Amino acid sequence: MTIPDPTGAAGEVDESSRPAGGVASAQPAVSVSTTRGTVVRSVGWSAAGRTGAQALQFLAGLVLARLLAPEDFGLLASVYVVTGFTVLLFDMGLGAALVHQRRLTQSDLDTAFWLNALGGLVFVGILAALGPLVADFYGDPRLTYITPLAGLGFALALNVCHSALLQREMEFKKIASVELVCAVLGNASTIAAAVGGLGALSLVVGPSVQAVAMTVLMWSVVRWRPRGFVRRESVRRLWSFSGGMLGFSVVNYVGRNSDNLLIGRVLGAAPLGLYNRAYTLMLLPLQQVSQVLGRVMFPALASLRDDPERLRRAYRRTIVVMTAVTMPVLVGMAATADGLVPILWGDQWLDTVPMLQVLCLAGLPQCLSSSEGWLYQSQGRTGTMFKVGVVSTVLTVVAIVVGLQWGVLGVAVAVFAKMWLWQPIGFRIACGLIDLPARRVFADIARPLLVSVAMGGAVWALPLLLPAPRDAVWVVLAQVVLGAVLYTALLALVDRSTSRELLGLVPRRLVPSRLRRA
């Protein structure tokens, strides 16, 4: 992957107020001396950590799908609509604000830490009070105690400052190592609880264990410690950035979870469990790639604020790589869904197949929209991000209410329609922040999109030529192999520059030199 050398400082810690023995040194997060190799290595470590954690979560999900009933997943999906707000209010956008600051003081860190810690305690208390109301809303008394327990992990994760310091200094190797260890502990705890017969409650055990492990390991890796309490001037400084972040996070959360809320309330836990499984699988490649790149690209793009041309160039190249990886995976999942679902989860989940197919196609425009936050945050335009988020959320809720008239599949179709109609508009607004015509980006990704669609058609048609049902393991494997080979070959034929970008992601020792020169 080709990334321009980032220049300029994303921020530096004020040495006079920084504790002795802090993380690394007081150098800027992405400085003039930072090389392109540093950014590429950061992406690599971020990808390794995220891939490992997601692989563990995916494998744990396969095990849990056989240990737990769809109703158990639906029950937790219902309560996470409520408890998820604590994640937003618990962080309050403070982590991103710390990364974005040009100069970071000890009082800024102290303020962020205590706001984060006290906010977590307050909202766990609120969840305990809301538990009976949530149980009444969904008609399930178990939610009375599951609701506060599901939010407990958020109060136990006291590492917002430590994580921000590591991101500022591009220490993604340390972040990846910590997250991988915590993922092992969290998923193992969830499976152990499910084997022990805890049912839906086992799905809240793992996140709590993972949060405790994250806190302990982050505090051992980063030697920063709070020295003071909340300072008014630091609150004002951080809030100028985090206020818009918090507002956007809240409205975005409402938009992304209104389907869970309304399906659970109108159709019940079992249909919600089916829908939630399909939506989670669709999001897997999007989250895997966008979150990996987003962690690195946010501080990197922030460092390019004073060099607009290089910023635009870096963003376009990154978008090409991200979409060229995620789009074929989404199309491939849609093409293989009728065989993939029973193999992964069993025949009791077959009703998720049409939902998964529709949602995967709805995810294609999200390949672009998932990067919009990088631009808003790196340019300090979180207020604008909030306003755009309000419009997007209103459209989402309206679409879901309409889709409910045709059941859970109708909701999936409504999500598809909203994504394809709104996301091109939202992307144009985000690109305008850096004076980048959106049509240039659309042109950049047009060929990978067309190749993905062609590949998907061939993959879907392959079982028609084979003497076996679509849900045979060897048939699905044949589809995957055909898709990978066909996409690689077609992309190299019609879009050689993007093919070279993707080839650059592979370790050099694994690729013959003649292919790199092709």
Side-chain angles (χ1 to χ4, degrees):
M1 175 177 169
T2 305
I3 300 178
D5 297 340
T7 60
E12 59 185 40
V13 174
D14 188 340
E15 188 68 24
S16 63
S17 59
R18 180 172 179 168
V23 58
S25 65
Q27 298 302 314
V30 184
S31 66
V32 176
S33 61
T34 301
T35 64
R36 180 175 59 202
T38 301
V39 178
V40 173
R41 283 192 297 272
S42 296
V43 171
W45 280 112
S46 183
R50 185 67 186 175
T51 300
Q54 287 286 352
L56 288 169
Q57 183 178 348
F58 180 74
L59 293 174
L62 298 182
V63 176
L64 292 170
R66 287 164 170 76
L67 294 174
L68 302 175
E71 184 180 359
D72 294 324
F73 290 97
L75 198 65
L76 263 294
S78 299
V79 74
Y80 278 138
V81 173
V82 179
T83 60
F85 272 109
T86 62
V87 177
L88 310 177
L89 299 169
F90 173 64
D91 180 81
M92 293 179 283
L94 293 173
L98 293 175
V99 174
H100 184 263
Q101 291 296 313
R102 291 185 182 274
R103 296 191 65 82
L104 192 60
T105 66
Q106 175 69 28
S107 64
D108 292 337
L109 292 166
D110 291 337
T111 297
F113 174 82
W114 287 112
L115 288 176
N116 183 255
L118 295 175
L121 293 176
V122 169
F123 286 106
V124 168
I126 292 175
L127 288 177
L130 289 176
L133 298 178
V134 175
D136 288 342
F137 182 81
Y138 287 109
D140 195 316
R142 291 174 293 176
L143 293 176
T144 301
Y145 61 87
I146 289 180
T147 298
L149 290 176
L152 184 60
F154 307 141
L156 298 175
L158 304 175
N159 57 276
V160 62
C161 295
H162 304 75
S163 179
L165 287 170
L166 290 176
Q167 289 182 58
R168 288 172 63 88
E169 301 196 14
M170 306 295 279
E171 292 282 1
F172 288 96
K173 180 179 180 180
K174 294 179 180 179
I175 294 175
S177 301
V178 169
E179 290 184 343
L180 190 57
V181 172
C182 293
V184 171
L185 296 174
N187 286 293
S189 300
T190 301
I191 293 174
V195 172
L198 294 184
L201 193 60
S202 61
L203 296 174
V204 305
V205 171
S208 296
V209 171
Q210 191 165 339
V212 173
M214 182 71 72
T215 298
V216 172
L217 291 177
M218 279 292 188
W219 281 60
S220 65
V221 170
V222 182
R223 289 178 289 172
W224 176 86
R225 300 292 182 266
R227 290 182 175 181
F229 197 57
V230 176
R231 298 287 294 274
R232 183 178 301 176
E233 58 272 20
S234 291
V235 171
R236 284 198 300 264
R237 218 150 60 91
L238 295 175
W239 186 253
S240 64
F241 180 92
S242 65
M245 277 287 299
L246 176 59
F248 170 78
S249 297
V250 170
V251 298
N252 187 57
Y253 184 83
V254 171
R256 286 191 174 275
N257 289 276
S258 55
D259 48 1
N260 288 337
L261 178 66
L262 293 172
I263 291 173
R265 182 69 176 89
V266 176
L267 303 178
L272 176 57
L274 297 171
Y275 178 87
N276 180 259
R277 286 285 86 192
Y279 201 94
T280 300
L281 184 58
M282 179 275 289
L283 280 182
L284 187 62
L286 284 174
Q287 290 179 333
Q288 181 69 29
V289 177
S290 65
Q291 291 184 12
V292 164
L293 290 175
R295 274 188 168 182
V296 179
M297 294 308 297
F298 169 33
L301 292 177
S303 74
L304 293 170
R305 280 174 287 186
D306 299 326
D307 193 344
E309 184 56 39
R310 299 180 72 188
L311 187 153
R312 288 189 287 268
R313 191 163 58 245
Y315 180 69
R316 287 178 63 185
R317 289 179 174 178
T318 306
I319 285 295
V320 167
V321 169
M322 184 171 72
T323 54
V325 170
T326 53
M327 288 191 301
V329 176
L330 289 171
V331 173
M333 282 201 300
T336 61
D338 44 6
L340 187 64
V341 168
I343 291 174
L344 294 180
W345 299 330
D347 291 340
Q348 70 270 28
W349 295 91
L350 281 175
D351 288 342
T352 66
V353 170
M355 286 180 279
L356 177 60
Q357 291 172 325
V358 173
L359 290 172
C360 282
L361 298 181
L364 292 176
Q366 292 188 65
C367 296
L368 283 177
S369 64
S370 59
S371 70
E372 292 170 11
W374 311 348
L375 299 179
Y376 286 112
Q377 293 177 51
S378 65
Q379 303 306 300
R381 298 290 297 276
T382 54
T384 303
M385 183 168 66
F386 166 65
K387 295 174 184 176
V388 174
V390 169
V391 176
S392 177
T393 294
V394 170
L395 294 175
T396 298
V397 173
V398 171
I400 291 170
V401 170
V402 173
L404 277 171
Q405 312 306 313
W406 292 273
V408 69
L409 182 59
V411 173
V413 174
V415 171
F416 170 89
K418 183 267 177 178
M419 291 297 179
W420 277 95
L421 292 174
W422 164 252
Q423 293 302 347
I425 299 173
F427 187 71
R428 287 177 183 274
I429 296 172
C431 287
L433 299 177
I434 58 173
D435 296 323
L436 173 63
R439 65 178 181 276
R440 293 186 181 178
V441 182
F442 296 150
D444 290 339
I445 68 169
R447 291 179 180 177
L449 175 60
L450 292 175
V451 170
S452 297
V453 172
M455 175 271 295
V459 167
W460 180 86
L462 179 63
L464 301 177
L465 307 176
L466 300 176
R470 285 181 177 271
D471 58 355
V473 175
W474 73 270
V475 171
V476 175
L477 289 176
Q479 287 178 292
V480 172
V481 172
L482 173 64
V485 172
L486 188 59
Y487 179 77
T488 302
L490 289 177
L491 191 66
L493 181 65
V494 304
D495 193 350
R496 184 167 296 182
S497 63
T498 299
S499 183
R500 283 197 298 265
E501 292 279 358
L502 292 177
L503 199 62
L505 298 174
V506 182
R508 300 185 69 85
R509 64 180 179 277
L510 300 180
V511 181
S513 58
R514 65 180 181 277
L515 292 181
R516 289 188 177 274
R517 292 192 298 267

